[in-house]
Amino acid sequence: MVRHFLKVAIRNIYKKGLFSVLNIAGLSIGISAFLVIVLYVFQETSFEKGFERWEDTYRIEEHFVSMGEVAWTTPNLQFFLNEIPEIEAYSRLAVDFGMEVIKDDALFKTDQTVWTDNSFFNVFDYKIIAGNPDAPLMGPGSMVITRNMAERLFGRTDVVGEQIEIKKNGVFLVAAVVENPLIKSHLDFDLLVHRQDAEAFDANGWYNIGGYTYAKLANGTSQEVFNQKLRDLNERNLYPNAFLPVTDMSFEEWQEHDNRISFMSKPISRIYLDSNLQFEIGAGGDKQTLVTLSIIALFILVIASINFMNLTTARSSGRTKEIGMRKVLGSRRWGLIIQFLSESLLITLIATIIAAGLTEVIIFQVNQQFGDAIGLSLLKYPSLLINIGIGVVLLGVISGLYPAFYLSSAKVIPLLKGMKLARVLNLNLAKGLRNGLVMVQFTLSTALIIATLFIQDQLTFLKNKDVGFDQEQVLVITNANELGNDKLAFKNELLQVPGIQSASYAQRVPGDHFNGVQSIMLDANNTLVMSTFTNDLDYYNTLGLEMSAGDWFSPDLVKTDSNIVVNEAAINSIGLEDPVGKTIGNYYTIVGVVKDFNYGSYKEPIGPAFFNYSETKGNRMVVRLDTKEMPIEEINQVWQKFAADAMDTHWLERNFEELLVKEDQMGSAVTIFTVLAIVVSCFGLFGLAAFTADQRLQEFGIRKVLGASVVDIVRVFSYDFMRVIGIAFLISIPLSIWGVNQWLQGFADRISLSVGVFILAGILAIGIAFATILFQSIKTGRLNPVDTIKNE
């Protein structure tokens, strides 16, 4: 029986070549786009879930006086965690980025290096593929590396006992190799190095922070219980020795004060998407992007399913005698339903197989373009194939259910006479349903078009936004600390190079993700946390900053380190009028106010900033070049006189380009998937136009006999479709307004919604739809009425 159903299904798919191609192509594109997005969303929402006990693992965080909540903790905390019996294991670690390793005189740059000890593996169960699984690290001077790093450095994985030099840190012995985990973690490392110096308890160290603390709890321990235990630990050990801002303050009162120290926990599964504290390990994910892409994935799948239903129904006009004959020969309605569902499932299966191949190709291309943006694939995570198999059955049944019941309900005798289904069945309901499905398709497609246009407008706005300083022709030397004591000599000689206007040493430059802060106690109850800029006298001119009050640093104003410059956001936060000359924090005197400029994320408002002076403390140098000359080689020659290592540089503009990398990627993804959604919708519209033309051949033949021209036929043929598309456009407007507004809320500076974008989107949607049916309508209008009328 099954074999018979499959045989008939294959024969019918083959006979209806064009419709079958449209059906399979549209479904394949829709499913592949859906799978790509699902894999990416799954990857982004599954961080840390590769660890066996991830539900019981937490990062301990700290509210550190006026700085607020930070991802770091005081080193002292680890010496008291054994007071909490619910903790099964804990680990302390520090993280470095972009470290350089030397192997056989070749220089390699790593992404992430973790400094810790063997306690790390008591909390995080990375798979050891070489080395001692019980104690992978062998003490100071040893390291663990990943499979990928071993193959990159040595071309093999049996590297236990080999040596690797970390630049400026010495030579380390490879003690173990771990597998690169399939499920990502914010802790994924290239090198895991044993701490060279053990941390020691310091009675005054409660007010020092640095490093990350993780704990694995006993099964069943709730976060609320753990947080209370951390609070009790604080009250026993820290509070009695704490420097309290107000004397005679109880522990409970202190824990409500801004200048408190308190500890809290966060499940590691929430760090990547839900944590944005100071000193985070790397950039987290963007929930807003995931929601946007998930909606798009659902839209595309719905559009592809609607296509399938419409095209399957459209094919029915050629199967009238087959259905009638089957009923005469005894086929029951359920038999016909099973037959049609079998065809639906077969087409869905074929489309899914093609989609799986397309998915791998798309993921490969995405990773080539964006560098391992999607680490998962169907080949790497085959357990997903089970879910895909279930999805195939559900999609095939749901998409084929209406056509199956619709086709199997036709009466026998009219079918045997060759009468078309339009005459046999009451197609008013069917026509209304098809038009409704087309309306849903183009509502979703038009909403995506509108969203794409607004996303591109927002990105263009941000790229062209005035950042408050002149970032063009500014070169950043990121490793200026290599100059050591020769910083002033290098700068003086550099300024003699033609084409260099100015140069400045600084601890940070705009957009470089530096997260240094300064906390100033304004009074007993109020503090202000500000981003810190440590720089020399020339920073102002080199970046082209502007003053709104007072003066920038000058030789007279740097004789004391109590003189500072702040930005307008700081003045607004403090609420000072005529701030120049005022003292804050009982020490710092404001000598100038800089106009606000972007120095961090585009998604957050410009925060308070604090500038202090140092002639050579900065480990970066910014160099402004003459726009007519680009003396990069001359700069490098001067550098080689004072430093042994190569100069590491980039243009300042790159910092702001990198701030928008994820937004650019999302904009590109939305654009690509919108195009795919439109293509799939057009497949369905083209097939439906062919079906409609077939149903109305006699009508158009009579119209031509009565004098209608091709243009008249095209207009009449297109009217119903254009009306449906027009209604879809009107419905898409409030849907897209809501969605775009939700997305724009993530930006401190954003565009306003303009009518022009909606008009353009409407023109595009209607134009694409009309172009899709134009061929079919012209073809119908040019048919010979003699052939169409006698056909009945």
Side-chain angles (χ1 to χ4, degrees), residues 310-321:
N310 273 339
L311 290 176
T312 302
T313 304
R315 288 195 309 150
S316 64
S317 61
R319 303 184 65 177
T320 54
K321 291 185 177 180

Side-chain angles (χ1 to χ4, degrees), residues 344-359:
S344 173
L345 286 170
L346 182 59
I347 291 176
T348 307
L349 178 61
I350 294 171
T352 303
I353 293 172
I354 296 172
L358 282 175
T359 299

Side-chain angles (χ1 to χ4, degrees), residues 769-783:
F770 184 73
T772 302
I773 64 173
L774 185 61
F775 168 77
Q776 194 64 50
S777 59
I778 292 175
K779 177 183 175 183
T780 303
R782 298 178 65 181
L783 288 174

Side-chain angles (χ1 to χ4, degrees), residues 491 535-538 541 551-561 563 565 591 613-615:
K491 179 179 177 181
N535 40 258
D536 63 17
L537 301 180
D538 298 311
N541 290 327
D551 300 304
W552 183 253
F553 296 113
S554 65
D556 290 335
L557 292 176
V558 296
K559 292 179 180 178
T560 171
D561 63 0
N563 288 338
V565 174
V591 298
Y613 167 79
S614 173
E615 190 172 41

Side-chain angles (χ1 to χ4, degrees), residues 360-380:
E360 294 300 315
V361 172
I362 293 172
I363 289 175
F364 176 79
Q365 292 298 325
V366 167
N367 289 337
Q368 288 287 100
Q369 183 72 25
F370 299 113
D372 200 26
I374 306 177
L376 289 177
S377 73
L378 299 177
L379 295 178
K380 292 181 180 179

